[in-house]
Structures are given as structure tokens and as C-alpha cells.
Amino acid sequence: MKLLRFGPPGQEKPGLLDAEGRIRDLSGVVPELAGEVLSPAGLERLAALDPSSLPVVEGHPRLGPPVAGMRNFVCIGLNYADHAAETGAAIPKEPIVFLKSLGALQGPNDDVEIAPDSVKTDWEVELAVIIGTRAKRVSEADAMSHVAGYAVCNDVSEREWQAERGGTWDKGKGHDTFGPLGPWLVTKDEVPDPQDLAMFCEVDGHRFQDGSTRTMIFGVEKLVSYVSHFITLHPGDVISTGTPPGVGLGQKPPVYLKAGQTMRLGIQGLGEQTQKTVAGH
């Protein structure tokens, strides 16, 4: 099942994608894709619906983030062995955890702002794990029972702010528009092995990232369990699990984004995003 939210920012309605690729309006069934709706029981109720009984949404509405009510936008750094190698970093002994500001969250195809003082804005295609039920200090064996599904995330990053301005990585990760999520939440039953998904990112048609979740250092079960020992996870929370090689920082010489470009990125079975870069203020 592919669940989504459509409409103007702040006015999104819940929907699902039917087998023909049409958006069906779920707002008469559930008020939002949040809370208990994301639990196993909530998802079972949605899966039992006949999509043809739901109103078709005409045209091509804007898509928002596929879940509402997020409390924690958690990211994992240097979680692909080949990405760590391209940055010259050692393989982490434990997951590197940082938080992305909720203010960065946006729809999958919304414009990405290049801040006026940014010189090193970069792209990162990532597998996002979406939490369905509260997870606190859960075991790896139990971790997947707390997962609602998966989505594509672009962990847009300003490398100078991240690495050259002192302190933590968060400064380079939390700018407005730096967290495109979607196009939809794909429920975990449609993703039999999250550790075997092809993924890519292109800028102006040039493919920079062409990787696979196979090279993740810490897998989904480990990450959900690990993070839950430090941060209680709630329905709608996201763990963005790291990026494969091919980021701008890793190019020789490095390549960074500027206003007027187009990013296209996607993950096998989870859909694609397209963002234009615009001058921020």
C-alpha cells in the first residue's frame, strides 16, 4: 500500500495511490496519516478498503510529506561503507545519530532553497524508515514490529555549516527545505528486504549517486533498536538511514548545488522525487 498526503502546505489531505497510479482521497475515512492510523491495526483497516470506493483526486496536486505529527526527524551519518570511504572517514563502530530540524521537512517535489551564504549545499538520497508505533528501548528482534513502512528522503546538507563551523552536524542539516520526504509511505509488506534496494540521485540529468542499501553498515533493525535506546520514537517519526557514495562532497573536485538546478532521486519500489533549487533568503 502506498499512502500519501496531497494539497497545499499546511492543508494536506490523506490519500492512497491505487493500482493504476491514481490518487484516492482518504479524508472521509481517516483525518490524517498520523498516530494510531500508522499502527498495524490502523494500516490493516486501510488495506481492507476497496480503493475504487474512494473518490479520485483529479489533476496533479502537490504532494506533502507522507506522514503528519512527526516528533523526531532522526538521521544516521556515514552509514554506507562506500560513502565513508569516499569522504575519507573511518567506518563507525556505532551508528552516528543526529537530528534534522522539523522545519526542514517538506514535500518530495517542493523547491529546495540555497541559502544566500551557502557555498557547499549537497544532495543525499536516503532510505527513510517511518515509525508506526511507539518504540522505546526495543530489541533488534522486535524492531520491525514498530515500522510502518519506508519512503525516499533527500538529506540536503550544507557541508561548510556541517563540518567547518564548529559544533555538531545539525547546523548543516536543518535549513528550511532541507528535508524532502516522499512521494509516499510504502508499507513494509511491499518491501520484503529493505537491505536490497537500488537507489540513485541525479543533478541536471547527470547521475552522481547509483548505489544500493546492500552497502549499509547498520541495517534497519539495528538502527530502529539503537535509536530507540536514546530517543523514544513515536508514530510518524522518521529515521533517515544514510546515503551511498556519489555526494557532491565526494567528487574530485567537489561539486555543489546552486540555484536553477534540478535534482531527481529515487529508490527501487519507493518512488521518485524531483526538486528545483532556488535562491533562498
Side-chain angles (χ1 to χ4, degrees):
M1 191 165 49
K2 295 179 175 65
L3 301 173
L4 54 88
R5 296 170 67 247
F6 64 95
Q11 302 175 44
E12 294 94 345
K13 295 181 178 180
L16 62 78
L17 199 70
D18 70 16
E20 286 73 45
R22 293 171 300 194
I23 297 175
R24 298 281 182 163
D25 190 342
L26 276 173
S27 60
V29 181
V30 293
E32 258 295 10
L33 296 178
E36 192 275 335
V37 174
L38 301 174
S39 71
L43 294 177
E44 282 179 20
R45 285 193 291 272
L46 294 183
L49 296 171
D50 178 3
S52 66
S53 69
L54 301 169
V56 173
V57 178
E58 301 294 344
H60 301 281
R62 170 192 173 267
L63 298 179
V67 290
M70 184 188 300
R71 295 195 199 182
N72 296 294
F73 197 164
V74 183
C75 295
I76 309 299
L78 297 175
N79 193 36
Y80 282 66
D82 36 8
H83 171 56
E86 78 170 341
T87 64
I91 299 295
K93 293 183 171 58
E94 294 191 40
I96 296 171
V97 178
F98 61 92
L99 294 175
K100 206 168 179 78
S101 167
L102 296 182
L105 182 66
Q106 67 165 12
N109 304 314
D110 294 344
D111 292 344
V112 168
E113 292 183 9
I114 308 296
D117 55 344
S118 166
V119 292
K120 296 183 178 180
T121 300
D122 203 349
W123 56 85
E124 293 191 7
V125 59
E126 303 201 359
L127 172 69
V129 179
I130 299 177
I131 300 299
T133 56
R134 182 177 180 271
K136 182 174 183 177
R137 302 186 65 81
V138 301
S139 67
E140 289 184 42
D142 189 42
M144 294 305 294
S145 69
H146 297 275
V147 173
Y150 305 94
V152 181
C153 181
N154 188 355
D155 177 21
V156 183
S157 309
E158 214 298 347
R159 302 300 189 187
E160 183 192 37
W161 301 354
Q162 175 186 353
E164 300 172 39
R165 298 289 297 272
T168 64
W169 287 9
D170 304 63
K171 284 185 288 190
K173 301 286 191 170
H175 190 267
D176 293 348
T177 75
F178 273 20
L181 186 69
W184 28 75
L185 180 165
V186 180
T187 50
K188 65 183 175 186
D189 58 291
E190 291 196 12
V191 185
D193 185 2
Q195 307 306 150
D196 189 17
L197 301 174
M199 55 206 306
F200 75 92
C201 180
E202 297 175 353
V203 180
D204 291 341
H206 179 82
R207 183 159 294 200
F208 283 96
Q209 291 189 278
D210 196 357
S212 169
T213 58
R214 288 192 301 270
T215 65
M216 283 172 63
I217 298 164
F218 305 106
V220 171
E221 291 180 5
K222 171 69 175 180
L223 292 175
V224 172
S225 171
Y226 185 87
V227 172
S228 78
H229 281 73
F230 304 97
I231 299 168
T232 299
L233 298 168
H234 299 270
D237 284 356
V238 160
I239 301 175
S240 199
T241 57
T243 199
V247 298
L249 174 66
Q251 306 304 308
K252 300 188 187 319
V255 176
Y256 296 113
L257 294 165
K258 57 185 183 294
Q261 295 187 289
T262 299
M263 289 182 280
R264 187 172 77 93
L265 55 148
I267 299 178
Q268 178 183 349
L270 303 185
E272 295 185 3
Q273 306 180 349
T274 301
Q275 299 111 25
K276 294 192 179 301
T277 55
V278 298
H281 54 81

XYZ file of all heavy atoms in Angstrom, residues 67-161:
713
model
N 3.527 11.612 5.978
C 3.002 11.415 7.333
C 2.916 12.764 8.037
O 3.618 13.705 7.693
C 3.870 10.448 8.181
C 3.741 9.029 7.678
C 5.329 10.892 8.190
N 2.033 12.827 9.016
C 1.877 14.027 9.828
C 2.210 13.688 11.280
O 2.296 12.517 11.653
C 0.454 14.570 9.715
N 2.381 14.722 12.079
C 2.594 14.515 13.507
C 3.978 14.044 13.892
O 4.182 13.530 14.994
N 4.954 14.240 13.007
C 6.322 13.812 13.315
C 6.867 14.571 14.524
O 6.737 15.782 14.618
C 7.219 14.042 12.099
C 8.637 13.534 12.271
S 9.729 14.037 10.906
C 8.936 13.299 9.490
N 7.493 13.848 15.438
C 8.176 14.479 16.578
C 9.689 14.458 16.407
O 10.386 15.341 16.921
C 7.819 13.751 17.879
C 6.380 13.815 18.300
C 6.272 13.392 19.758
N 4.927 12.990 20.126
C 4.574 12.617 21.348
N 5.484 12.568 22.317
N 3.337 12.268 21.616
N 10.191 13.438 15.753
C 11.644 13.265 15.630
C 12.007 12.933 14.186
O 11.507 11.970 13.614
C 12.132 12.130 16.539
C 11.925 12.437 18.006
O 12.544 13.341 18.547
N 11.031 11.692 18.655
N 12.899 13.762 13.619
C 13.440 13.547 12.279
C 14.900 13.155 12.503
O 15.784 13.995 12.591
C 13.313 14.840 11.482
C 13.448 14.708 9.985
C 13.030 15.749 9.161
C 13.989 13.583 9.388
C 13.151 15.681 7.784
C 14.111 13.481 8.012
C 13.679 14.541 7.208
N 15.122 11.855 12.655
C 16.424 11.323 13.038
C 17.198 10.929 11.784
O 16.634 10.353 10.849
C 16.262 10.085 13.953
C 17.620 9.568 14.415
C 15.372 10.415 15.156
N 18.482 11.233 11.750
C 19.328 10.863 10.620
C 20.553 10.102 11.109
O 21.013 10.294 12.243
C 19.772 12.094 9.846
S 18.424 12.980 9.039
N 21.067 9.265 10.229
C 22.259 8.464 10.516
C 23.375 8.885 9.571
O 23.165 8.948 8.353
C 21.964 6.958 10.353
C 20.707 6.549 11.149
C 23.173 6.135 10.791
C 20.792 6.765 12.646
N 24.533 9.186 10.118
C 25.659 9.633 9.312
C 26.637 8.519 8.986
O 26.802 7.576 9.765
N 27.256 8.621 7.827
C 28.332 7.693 7.413
C 27.913 6.233 7.592
O 28.649 5.424 8.147
C 29.615 7.976 8.199
C 30.239 9.356 7.976
C 31.428 9.563 8.897
C 30.665 9.513 6.513
N 26.723 5.893 7.077
C 26.198 4.535 7.287
C 26.344 3.640 6.075
O 25.773 2.556 6.036
C 24.727 4.597 7.719
C 24.245 3.261 8.259
O 24.992 2.539 8.905
N 22.997 2.921 7.959
N 27.077 4.097 5.065
C 27.388 3.240 3.916
C 28.907 3.125 3.836
O 29.611 4.137 3.826
C 26.837 3.845 2.624
C 25.350 3.641 2.441
C 24.426 4.236 3.297
C 24.864 2.845 1.405
C 23.062 4.054 3.123
C 23.498 2.661 1.216
C 22.604 3.272 2.083
O 21.255 3.079 1.908
N 29.391 1.906 3.757
C 30.838 1.693 3.762
C 31.506 2.431 2.607
O 32.567 3.047 2.770
C 31.140 0.203 3.684
N 30.867 2.405 1.421
C 31.482 3.051 0.260
C 31.379 4.575 0.335
O 32.222 5.285 -0.193
C 30.886 2.523 -1.055
C 29.401 2.212 -0.996
O 28.761 2.548 0.024
O 28.873 1.640 -1.963
N 30.363 5.094 1.020
C 30.279 6.551 1.219
C 31.321 7.016 2.231
O 31.961 8.048 2.049
C 28.876 6.941 1.687
C 28.746 8.374 2.110
N 29.084 9.428 1.292
C 28.324 8.928 3.278
C 28.860 10.574 1.928
N 28.415 10.299 3.137
N 31.495 6.242 3.310
C 32.528 6.590 4.289
C 33.899 6.652 3.611
O 34.700 7.548 3.865
C 32.528 5.579 5.435
N 34.127 5.690 2.711
C 35.416 5.650 2.018
C 35.623 6.891 1.155
O 36.725 7.457 1.119
C 35.504 4.389 1.161
N 34.556 7.332 0.460
C 34.738 8.494 -0.435
C 34.987 9.783 0.341
O 35.579 10.722 -0.189
C 33.537 8.649 -1.369
C 32.314 9.269 -0.743
C 31.223 9.634 -1.742
O 31.519 9.756 -2.947
O 30.066 9.806 -1.303
N 34.525 9.842 1.597
C 34.756 11.042 2.399
C 36.042 10.941 3.212
O 36.421 11.896 3.899
C 33.579 11.287 3.369
O 33.514 10.208 4.304
C 32.263 11.393 2.628
N 36.704 9.777 3.163
C 37.939 9.591 3.920
C 37.715 9.313 5.388
O 38.651 9.393 6.194
N 36.473 8.984 5.764
C 36.150 8.746 7.175
C 36.297 7.273 7.536
O 36.141 6.385 6.696
C 34.719 9.203 7.466
N 36.598 7.025 8.798
C 36.665 5.653 9.290
C 35.258 5.073 9.388
O 34.278 5.799 9.558
C 37.337 5.629 10.668
N 35.166 3.738 9.297
C 33.882 3.061 9.468
C 33.437 3.238 10.925
O 34.182 2.887 11.848
C 34.004 1.555 9.133
C 34.437 1.359 7.678
C 32.683 0.853 9.410
C 33.453 1.823 6.647
N 32.246 3.795 11.171
C 31.815 3.993 12.561
C 31.651 2.666 13.310
O 31.213 1.673 12.723
C 30.454 4.699 12.411
C 30.428 5.232 11.021
C 31.263 4.303 10.208
N 32.021 2.680 14.585
C 31.835 1.482 15.414
C 30.402 1.387 15.914
O 29.901 0.303 16.201
C 32.802 1.501 16.600
C 34.275 1.361 16.185
C 35.174 1.312 17.410
C 36.608 0.956 17.032
N 37.197 1.890 16.066
N 29.741 2.530 16.048
C 28.323 2.592 16.386
C 27.671 3.601 15.459
O 28.350 4.469 14.897
C 28.118 3.032 17.845
C 28.624 2.055 18.883
C 28.153 2.431 20.291
O 26.991 2.842 20.458
O 28.974 2.315 21.214
N 26.350 3.516 15.276
C 25.686 4.493 14.407
C 25.917 5.933 14.867
O 25.875 6.235 16.064
C 24.206 4.115 14.524
C 24.217 2.654 14.862
C 25.414 2.462 15.739
N 26.188 6.813 13.897
C 26.284 8.247 14.155
C 24.881 8.828 14.016
O 24.276 8.757 12.946
C 27.246 8.914 13.168
C 28.671 8.375 13.358
C 27.220 10.434 13.312
C 29.645 8.825 12.283
N 24.365 9.379 15.103
C 22.983 9.860 15.140
C 22.969 11.378 15.253
O 23.683 11.952 16.067
C 22.227 9.242 16.339
C 20.798 9.782 16.422
C 22.216 7.716 16.240
N 22.165 12.020 14.411
C 21.927 13.452 14.564
C 20.466 13.728 14.227
O 19.777 12.884 13.657
C 22.875 14.291 13.698
C 22.750 14.053 12.213
C 21.902 14.825 11.429
C 23.502 13.066 11.591
C 21.797 14.624 10.069
C 23.403 12.849 10.218
C 22.544 13.632 9.459
N 19.997 14.907 14.594
C 18.606 15.281 14.356
C 18.518 16.357 13.295
O 19.318 17.300 13.277
C 17.958 15.786 15.639
C 17.789 14.757 16.752
C 17.253 15.414 18.017
C 16.856 13.631 16.310
N 17.574 16.201 12.409
C 17.283 17.204 11.401
C 16.097 18.013 11.911
O 15.126 17.458 12.435
C 16.918 16.498 10.088
C 17.182 17.275 8.829
C 17.045 16.340 7.641
C 17.283 17.047 6.328
N 18.703 17.269 6.048
N 16.172 19.322 11.810
C 15.086 20.172 12.288
C 13.777 19.802 11.605
O 13.729 19.541 10.392
C 15.412 21.640 11.993
O 14.268 22.444 12.161
N 12.683 19.786 12.371
C 11.372 19.555 11.763
C 11.020 20.655 10.774
O 10.196 20.459 9.882
C 10.303 19.444 12.844
C 10.440 18.259 13.809
C 9.280 18.249 14.797
C 10.505 16.934 13.053
N 11.658 21.812 10.918
C 11.440 22.900 9.968
C 11.984 22.604 8.591
O 11.631 23.281 7.620
N 12.850 21.595 8.475
C 13.400 21.220 7.175
C 12.441 20.343 6.377
O 12.568 20.219 5.157
C 14.731 20.481 7.364
N 11.481 19.728 7.069
C 10.576 18.774 6.430
C 9.727 19.452 5.364
O 9.178 20.531 5.580
C 9.673 18.155 7.502
C 8.683 17.086 7.037
C 9.421 15.846 6.557
C 7.721 16.735 8.175
N 9.610 18.788 4.199
C 8.771 19.337 3.140
C 8.350 18.224 2.191
O 8.758 17.076 2.328
C 9.504 20.432 2.376
C 10.683 19.957 1.559
C 11.129 21.007 0.566
O 10.721 22.162 0.607
N 11.987 20.618 -0.380
N 7.509 18.586 1.239
C 7.059 17.618 0.258
C 8.170 17.181 -0.670
O 9.201 17.854 -0.801
N 7.977 16.055 -1.356
C 9.052 15.456 -2.158
C 9.459 16.269 -3.373
O 10.595 16.135 -3.844
C 8.459 14.109 -2.583
C 6.976 14.330 -2.559
C 6.744 15.251 -1.408
N 8.547 17.101 -3.879
C 8.848 17.840 -5.103
C 8.858 19.352 -4.895
O 8.868 20.107 -5.862
C 7.840 17.461 -6.190
C 7.816 15.960 -6.435
O 8.861 15.327 -6.552
N 6.633 15.379 -6.484
N 8.857 19.783 -3.633
C 8.928 21.215 -3.338
C 10.335 21.737 -3.637
O 11.317 20.994 -3.590
C 8.595 21.476 -1.866
C 7.149 21.150 -1.519
O 6.324 21.019 -2.452
O 6.848 21.020 -0.320
N 10.425 23.030 -3.916
C 11.732 23.638 -4.202
C 12.658 23.544 -2.993
O 12.216 23.602 -1.839
C 11.560 25.119 -4.563
C 10.854 25.331 -5.891
O 10.762 24.372 -6.679
O 10.383 26.465 -6.126
N 13.942 23.407 -3.260
C 14.980 23.422 -2.230
C 15.699 24.764 -2.291
O 16.162 25.183 -3.368
C 15.981 22.262 -2.422
C 17.220 22.449 -1.550
C 15.309 20.935 -2.117
N 15.779 25.430 -1.142
C 16.412 26.750 -1.082
C 17.931 26.632 -0.925
O 18.413 25.855 -0.102
C 15.876 27.546 0.111
C 14.437 27.970 0.005
C 14.011 28.818 1.187
O 14.895 29.214 1.994
O 12.806 29.071 1.329
N 18.637 27.420 -1.697
C 20.079 27.593 -1.498
C 20.244 28.892 -0.715
O 19.932 29.978 -1.221
C 20.841 27.667 -2.836
C 20.495 26.479 -3.739
C 22.343 27.749 -2.571
C 20.904 25.130 -3.189
N 20.687 28.792 0.529
C 20.789 29.974 1.391
C 21.761 30.989 0.793
O 22.732 30.615 0.114
C 21.246 29.570 2.784
N 21.536 32.287 1.032
C 22.397 33.318 0.440
C 23.875 33.147 0.783
O 24.735 33.480 -0.030
C 21.846 34.623 1.031
C 20.450 34.317 1.428
C 20.438 32.869 1.825
N 24.170 32.652 1.978
C 25.565 32.490 2.385
C 26.049 31.048 2.264
O 27.079 30.677 2.821
C 25.765 32.989 3.819
C 24.826 32.320 4.813
O 23.823 31.710 4.385
O 25.101 32.403 6.029
N 25.306 30.219 1.520
C 25.721 28.824 1.335
C 26.701 28.698 0.177
O 26.491 29.280 -0.890
C 24.501 27.944 1.054
O 24.905 26.673 0.569
N 27.757 27.935 0.407
C 28.720 27.668 -0.667
C 28.893 26.173 -0.929
O 29.514 25.784 -1.905
C 30.104 28.289 -0.347
C 30.018 29.803 -0.376
C 30.637 27.817 1.000
N 28.297 25.331 -0.063
C 28.524 23.888 -0.197
C 27.248 23.092 0.075
O 27.238 22.147 0.865
C 29.637 23.434 0.758
C 31.005 24.036 0.453
C 32.092 23.505 1.369
C 33.454 24.098 1.011
N 34.545 23.582 1.902
N 26.137 23.452 -0.592
C 24.904 22.685 -0.438
C 24.992 21.415 -1.276
O 25.376 21.447 -2.444
C 23.683 23.530 -0.840
O 23.616 24.691 -0.005
C 22.398 22.745 -0.671
N 24.601 20.297 -0.688
C 24.851 18.971 -1.252
C 23.581 18.126 -1.201
O 22.635 18.427 -0.469
C 25.971 18.305 -0.437
C 26.722 17.221 -1.184
O 26.274 16.797 -2.271
O 27.761 16.783 -0.653
N 23.578 17.052 -1.935
C 22.446 16.127 -2.024
C 22.788 14.802 -1.351
O 23.955 14.411 -1.258
C 22.105 15.861 -3.494
C 23.295 15.335 -4.267
C 23.725 14.037 -4.368
C 24.248 16.113 -5.016
N 24.868 13.956 -5.136
C 25.202 15.196 -5.543
C 24.364 17.468 -5.301
C 26.267 15.635 -6.336
C 25.424 17.877 -6.084
C 26.355 16.977 -6.602
N 21.753 14.082 -0.880
C 21.949 12.750 -0.294
C 20.652 11.960 -0.413
O 19.711 12.193 0.348
C 22.338 12.829 1.195
C 23.689 13.423 1.492
C 24.097 13.228 2.950
O 23.387 12.526 3.697
O 25.126 13.800 3.354
N 20.576 11.019 -1.337
C 19.409 10.142 -1.402
C 19.500 9.124 -0.251
O 20.559 8.547 -0.003
C 19.310 9.423 -2.762
C 20.528 8.557 -3.074
C 18.033 8.582 -2.825
N 18.392 8.952 0.466
C 18.408 8.078 1.639
C 17.096 7.295 1.768
O 16.018 7.806 1.425
C 18.635 8.887 2.918
C 19.914 9.713 2.891
C 20.409 10.115 4.273
O 19.753 9.771 5.272
O 21.475 10.768 4.334
N 17.220 6.100 2.299
C 16.063 5.303 2.690
C 15.561 5.800 4.042
O 16.305 5.797 5.027
C 16.443 3.824 2.803
C 15.370 2.897 3.393
C 14.191 2.756 2.437
C 15.963 1.524 3.718
N 14.304 6.246 4.088
C 13.699 6.702 5.334
C 12.807 5.602 5.898
O 11.972 5.035 5.179
C 12.881 7.964 5.107
N 12.986 5.305 7.164
C 12.151 4.339 7.879
C 11.102 5.132 8.650
O 11.448 6.042 9.414
C 12.996 3.493 8.855
C 12.115 2.502 9.611
C 14.104 2.771 8.109
N 9.830 4.816 8.457
C 8.749 5.542 9.112
C 8.171 4.678 10.234
O 7.769 3.533 10.016
C 7.660 5.942 8.111
C 8.267 6.873 7.048
C 6.488 6.623 8.830
C 7.316 7.283 5.957
N 8.165 5.240 11.421
C 7.724 4.515 12.618
C 6.191 4.494 12.684
O 5.526 5.490 12.396
C 8.314 5.182 13.884
C 9.851 5.173 13.827
C 7.805 4.504 15.153
C 10.478 3.792 13.769
N 5.642 3.334 13.091
C 4.197 3.184 13.169
C 3.651 3.111 14.582
O 2.503 3.478 14.831
N 4.471 2.618 15.523
C 4.050 2.540 16.926
C 5.221 2.945 17.817
O 6.385 2.792 17.448
C 3.592 1.124 17.324
O 4.639 0.185 17.035
C 2.341 0.714 16.576
N 4.893 3.451 18.990
C 5.891 3.958 19.927
C 6.971 2.900 20.192
O 6.671 1.736 20.465
C 5.211 4.348 21.240
C 6.124 4.943 22.297
C 5.289 5.356 23.507
N 6.088 5.939 24.574
C 6.651 5.238 25.555
N 6.492 3.922 25.613
N 7.360 5.857 26.495
N 8.213 3.334 20.106
C 9.346 2.425 20.300
C 10.303 3.027 21.318
O 10.882 4.089 21.081
C 10.065 2.177 18.976
N 10.452 2.365 22.445
C 11.376 2.806 23.477
C 12.183 1.600 23.945
O 11.630 0.615 24.420
C 10.622 3.423 24.662
C 11.538 3.942 25.765
C 10.751 4.662 26.848
C 11.679 5.254 27.911
N 10.924 6.015 28.936
N 13.492 1.670 23.732
C 14.411 0.607 24.154
C 13.955 -0.760 23.649
O 13.871 -1.733 24.396
C 14.569 0.603 25.681
C 15.075 1.923 26.247
C 15.372 1.859 27.734
N 16.477 0.949 28.010
C 17.781 1.263 27.883
N 18.124 2.477 27.489
N 18.717 0.385 28.137
N 13.658 -0.834 22.356
C 13.204 -2.102 21.777
C 14.404 -2.923 21.309
O 15.470 -2.386 20.997
C 12.226 -1.874 20.611
C 11.012 -1.079 21.091
C 12.892 -1.171 19.433
N 14.228 -4.215 21.264
C 15.281 -5.118 20.802
C 15.317 -5.125 19.279
O 14.344 -4.746 18.609
C 15.020 -6.531 21.304
O 13.859 -7.062 20.685
N 16.443 -5.591 18.727
C 16.516 -5.737 17.279
C 15.476 -6.724 16.785
O 14.885 -6.541 15.713
C 17.922 -6.173 16.861
C 18.971 -5.083 17.025
C 20.335 -5.504 16.518
O 20.406 -6.135 15.444
O 21.342 -5.203 17.204
N 15.232 -7.785 17.568
C 14.254 -8.795 17.169
C 12.849 -8.222 17.071
O 12.020 -8.698 16.281
C 14.280 -9.960 18.156
N 12.567 -7.201 17.853
C 11.218 -6.615 17.896
C 11.120 -5.329 17.082
O 10.041 -4.762 16.937
C 10.832 -6.330 19.357
C 9.383 -5.928 19.521
O 8.516 -6.548 18.870
O 9.115 -4.981 20.285
N 12.237 -4.875 16.532
C 12.279 -3.548 15.917
C 11.284 -3.401 14.767
O 10.588 -2.383 14.657
C 13.694 -3.248 15.424
N 11.184 -4.413 13.900
C 10.354 -4.269 12.708
C 8.872 -4.171 13.034
O 8.093 -3.650 12.227
C 10.611 -5.419 11.743
C 12.020 -5.419 11.158
S 12.485 -3.868 10.353
C 11.355 -3.871 8.988
N 8.466 -4.630 14.201
C 7.056 -4.524 14.570
C 6.652 -3.069 14.809
O 5.460 -2.755 14.864
C 6.763 -5.362 15.820
O 7.386 -4.805 16.965
N 7.636 -2.182 14.947
C 7.365 -0.766 15.168
C 7.472 0.058 13.883
O 7.301 1.276 13.917
C 8.328 -0.205 16.218
C 8.168 -0.843 17.556
N 7.231 -0.419 18.481
C 8.804 -1.903 18.121
C 7.314 -1.190 19.566
N 8.257 -2.082 19.371
N 7.753 -0.596 12.763
C 7.939 0.097 11.491
C 6.654 0.033 10.674
O 6.103 -1.045 10.450
C 9.102 -0.531 10.695
C 9.196 0.055 9.292
C 10.421 -0.321 11.441
N 6.184 1.221 10.225
C 5.014 1.269 9.356
C 5.404 1.047 7.898
O 4.693 0.375 7.145
C 4.303 2.614 9.501
N 6.531 1.621 7.504
C 6.946 1.495 6.115
C 8.158 2.349 5.817
O 8.912 2.736 6.726
N 8.312 2.672 4.538
C 9.523 3.328 4.063
C 9.171 4.450 3.095
O 8.098 4.474 2.494
C 10.431 2.326 3.349
C 10.768 1.118 4.182
C 10.006 -0.042 4.084
C 11.822 1.150 5.090
C 10.306 -1.158 4.864
C 12.127 0.045 5.865
C 11.363 -1.106 5.748
O 11.650 -2.187 6.520
N 10.106 5.373 2.926
C 9.950 6.458 1.956
C 11.328 6.897 1.483
O 12.360 6.518 2.060
C 9.196 7.636 2.565
N 11.338 7.713 0.451
C 12.566 8.338 -0.040
C 12.778 9.637 0.725
O 11.834 10.391 0.977
C 12.457 8.639 -1.548
C 13.760 9.267 -2.062
C 12.124 7.380 -2.337
N 14.020 9.904 1.106
C 14.381 11.177 1.738
C 15.605 11.745 1.032
O 16.513 11.003 0.656
C 14.687 10.978 3.219
S 15.125 12.507 4.097
N 15.600 13.058 0.838
C 16.799 13.764 0.374
C 17.346 14.533 1.572
O 16.778 15.544 1.976
C 16.455 14.714 -0.777
C 17.687 15.325 -1.429
O 18.808 15.119 -0.966
N 17.485 16.078 -2.496
N 18.420 14.026 2.156
C 19.027 14.682 3.313
C 19.934 15.802 2.816
O 21.163 15.693 2.832
C 19.798 13.657 4.151
C 20.512 14.284 5.339
O 20.115 15.390 5.754
O 21.472 13.671 5.851
N 19.313 16.873 2.328
C 20.074 18.010 1.806
C 20.956 18.561 2.931
O 20.530 18.683 4.079
C 19.137 19.097 1.257
C 19.940 20.239 0.646
C 18.174 18.508 0.227
N 22.197 18.873 2.590
C 23.205 19.222 3.598
C 24.062 20.391 3.120
O 24.470 20.419 1.957
C 24.126 18.017 3.859
O 23.390 16.843 4.144
N 24.338 21.315 4.024
C 25.298 22.380 3.728
C 26.615 21.991 4.407
O 26.740 22.022 5.624
C 24.788 23.725 4.255
C 25.175 24.929 3.396
C 26.664 25.202 3.261
O 27.467 24.632 4.006
O 27.034 26.021 2.399
N 27.592 21.572 3.608
C 28.797 20.940 4.155
C 29.666 21.916 4.954
O 30.301 21.510 5.928
C 29.623 20.319 3.025
C 28.885 19.293 2.193
C 28.407 18.126 3.018
N 27.887 17.056 2.150
C 27.280 15.962 2.580
N 27.085 15.793 3.881
N 26.853 15.059 1.745
N 29.742 23.163 4.531
C 30.544 24.112 5.303
C 29.930 24.275 6.697
O 30.633 24.236 7.704
C 30.621 25.472 4.605
C 31.516 26.460 5.357
C 31.386 27.884 4.860
O 30.278 28.300 4.512
O 32.420 28.570 4.833
N 28.621 24.453 6.755
C 27.958 24.609 8.048
C 28.088 23.342 8.885
O 28.208 23.395 10.100
C 26.474 24.919 7.850
C 26.192 26.156 7.058
C 27.093 27.084 6.597
C 24.907 26.601 6.620
N 26.445 28.071 5.906
C 25.109 27.806 5.903
C 23.613 26.107 6.758
C 24.049 28.512 5.331
C 22.550 26.806 6.193
C 22.775 27.999 5.493
